[in-house]
Amino acid sequence: MLKSLEIRGYRGFSSYRMSDLARVNLVVGRNNCGKTSVLEAIEVLVSGGNPMVIKRLDRRRQEVGSRYGVRGPGSWAMDFSHVFHGHSLEVGSSFHVRSDDGTRSVTFEVKAIDEADEEFHIQHSEREEDDAPAFAFVLKINSSVSNEPITLPMLEDGSVVFKRQHAAMHDRLLGSPTQFLTVDSFDPAKMNKSWDTVLANSLEGEIVNDMKILVPSLNSIHFLTGSPFGSGILLGSGNGARRVPISSFGDGLRRLLALRLSFVGTANGFLLADEIDTGLHWTVMEEMWRFVVEVARKNNVQVFATTHSYDCIRGLASLIRSRDDLADEVCIQKVAPSLDRAVCLKGEEVKVAIEQDIEVR
């Protein structure tokens, strides 16, 4: 697990630090303060500097998109300037993410084309087409999990150029298992795909046992193959009782099942959940947090989540009040752009702050 996080030169953060991280960390703060950027920086770090992670986060934000065929068939280019502080990209531009005094670290730095090594120039010495744009810079990625830096070509407009072999090569660099949960992750079709993974790995019993935290009578979950959009989910309670559509329990339970499915494949890794309470009523917040903490403990997953909701924070405080044994497992990290580090509230401090009606967002 990460105990601390340091971000330099990434998006809105010139220099920022978080400390005293727990197993489950709730990141709060006003709009546009960088909560989602914190999750992204963690994803880049724990991926070992995989540049394809940048491509995925760009797709989530829909900032630029990719341009295909810029250097011949099978190539594409993506503008990386937005991930650098101030959207500034030139020789010397860099961002750095590290944790636990450098035990994990990754650095992205723009360098002049003549600073690339000989092997790079050999690989990119020929243009696929006469009118293909020339390379102007290189993006050099150094990571604590790799002995060799990654060097990628860049165009003058700041776009990084990829080829199919780049995607295959860099996907092998993925470090810790990681899942980034967004509002789209609650889509029924995506849940259907996740359930396929559950079936392939014989995890049905584990998922059912975890969902019993929310529905004690539950003994089976079934996804109907005849439902093309993944909306047909039945819950069984045994004793010959008729299986009931999950929609009969309200949309909240379906979203909590989607949340549980997001843990699939993240054992000994990380779950990054943007707006974790989306679509959930305030009355289920304590149950949600108990569910998240218990599943995270069992699977040795570290969770980083964001919220705007005071009810979500109250639910966390309520959990600590009823389960003081979980106090050391959770914390709130308040992001404030006017400071160079997040304000950390540990479990007991969260409970006290809510009891005294102190605004922690």
Side-chain angles (χ1 to χ4, degrees), residues 6-290:
E6 182 181 350
I7 306 171
R8 292 183 181 273
Y10 181 76
R11 293 198 181 269
F13 295 115
S14 173
S15 177
Y16 209 74
R17 184 173 178 82
M18 289 182 168
S19 57
D20 297 321
L21 298 175
R23 177 172 299 282
V24 176
N25 306 271
L26 181 59
V27 183
V28 302
R30 63 175 177 80
N31 287 339
N32 201 35
C33 71
K35 298 187 297 296
T36 302
S37 295
V38 168
L39 303 191
E40 293 174 350
I42 293 170
E43 185 179 24
V44 171
L45 174 65
V46 300
S47 77
N50 188 335
M52 302 308 292
V53 169
I54 303 289
K55 184 176 187 297
R56 287 194 285 270
L57 68 87
D58 176 80
R59 186 167 60 243
R60 286 196 296 265
R61 285 184 180 256
Q62 299 182 339
E63 288 176 319
V64 178
S66 300
R67 293 179 289 129
Y68 291 90
V70 292
R71 292 276 299 184
S75 67
W76 73 92
M78 191 188 79
D79 185 359
F80 262 44
S81 64
H82 302 294
V83 300
F84 291 91
H85 183 62
H87 306 271
S88 174
L89 194 151
E90 56 188 16
V91 173
S93 296
S94 67
F95 73 81
H96 181 77
V97 187
R98 71 173 196 163
S99 68
D100 306 339
D101 298 323
T103 303
R104 289 178 184 254
S105 67
V106 62
T107 300
F108 285 61
E109 185 174 7
V110 179
K111 292 183 173 290
I113 189 71
D114 57 10
E115 293 188 60
D117 58 27
E118 182 178 355
E119 182 180 352
F120 172 88
H121 287 290
I122 293 173
Q123 290 177 352
H124 301 281
S125 58
E126 296 182 1
R127 295 187 184 182
E128 285 77 0
E129 297 179 2
D130 291 339
D131 60 348
F135 297 134
F137 317 105
V138 294
L139 180 67
K140 185 158 285 189
I141 306 170
N142 286 283
S143 170
S144 59
V145 301
S146 176
N147 294 326
E148 296 292 332
I150 301 168
T151 304
L152 295 173
M154 301 183 70
L155 304 178
E156 190 171 1
D157 64 0
S159 296
V160 174
V161 178
F162 294 93
K163 295 184 179 180
R164 289 192 184 98
Q165 59 266 36
H166 288 142
M169 176 180 68
H170 297 311
D171 272 344
R172 292 199 299 271
L173 292 173
L174 279 171
S176 302
T178 306
Q179 180 73 263
F180 200 115
L181 178 66
T182 65
V183 174
D184 290 341
S185 303
F186 296 106
D187 179 73
K190 291 191 175 181
M191 291 176 64
N192 224 25
K193 186 175 180 180
S194 296
W195 191 252
D196 288 344
T197 302
V198 169
L199 294 176
N201 292 278
S202 301
L203 298 174
E204 307 98 301
E206 180 179 326
I207 303 299
V208 169
N209 284 334
D210 289 340
M211 292 299 293
K212 282 184 176 180
I213 296 174
L214 304 168
V215 185
S217 62
L218 183 70
N219 76 349
S220 64
I221 299 174
H222 309 269
F223 279 63
L224 299 180
T225 58
S227 299
F229 299 105
S231 58
I233 304 173
L234 301 181
L235 305 183
S237 58
N239 300 321
R242 183 180 180 183
R243 292 166 181 168
V244 179
I246 195 171
S247 57
S248 298
F249 293 84
D251 192 54
L253 189 61
R254 182 180 65 83
R255 287 180 173 271
L256 289 167
L257 176 58
L259 179 58
R260 175 58 186 91
L261 293 177
S262 296
F263 278 95
V264 174
T266 62
N268 304 311
F270 300 86
L271 177 65
L272 311 172
D274 206 12
E275 301 297 336
I276 191 170
D277 56 309
T278 298
L280 297 175
H281 194 260
W282 67 270
T283 55
V284 301
M285 288 302 164
E286 179 180 347
E287 287 182 308
M288 181 200 75
W289 282 121
R290 181 165 64 94

Side-chain angles (χ1 to χ4, degrees), residues 24 26 28 282 284-290 293 307 309-332 345-358 360:
V24 176
L26 181 59
V28 302
W282 67 270
V284 301
M285 288 302 164
E286 179 180 347
E287 287 182 308
M288 181 200 75
W289 282 121
R290 181 165 64 94
V293 175
T307 189
S309 167
Y310 193 62
D311 289 329
C312 187
I313 298 170
R314 288 176 63 89
L316 184 60
S318 181
L319 172 66
I320 298 166
R321 190 181 305 114
S322 62
R323 290 284 304 276
D324 57 3
D325 59 308
L326 299 180
D328 292 338
E329 300 279 2
V330 303
C331 77
I332 285 179
L345 294 177
K346 298 181 180 179
E348 284 296 329
E349 295 170 323
V350 173
K351 183 180 71 172
V352 172
I354 297 303
E355 289 174 347
Q356 297 184 4
D357 200 25
I358 298 173
V360 298

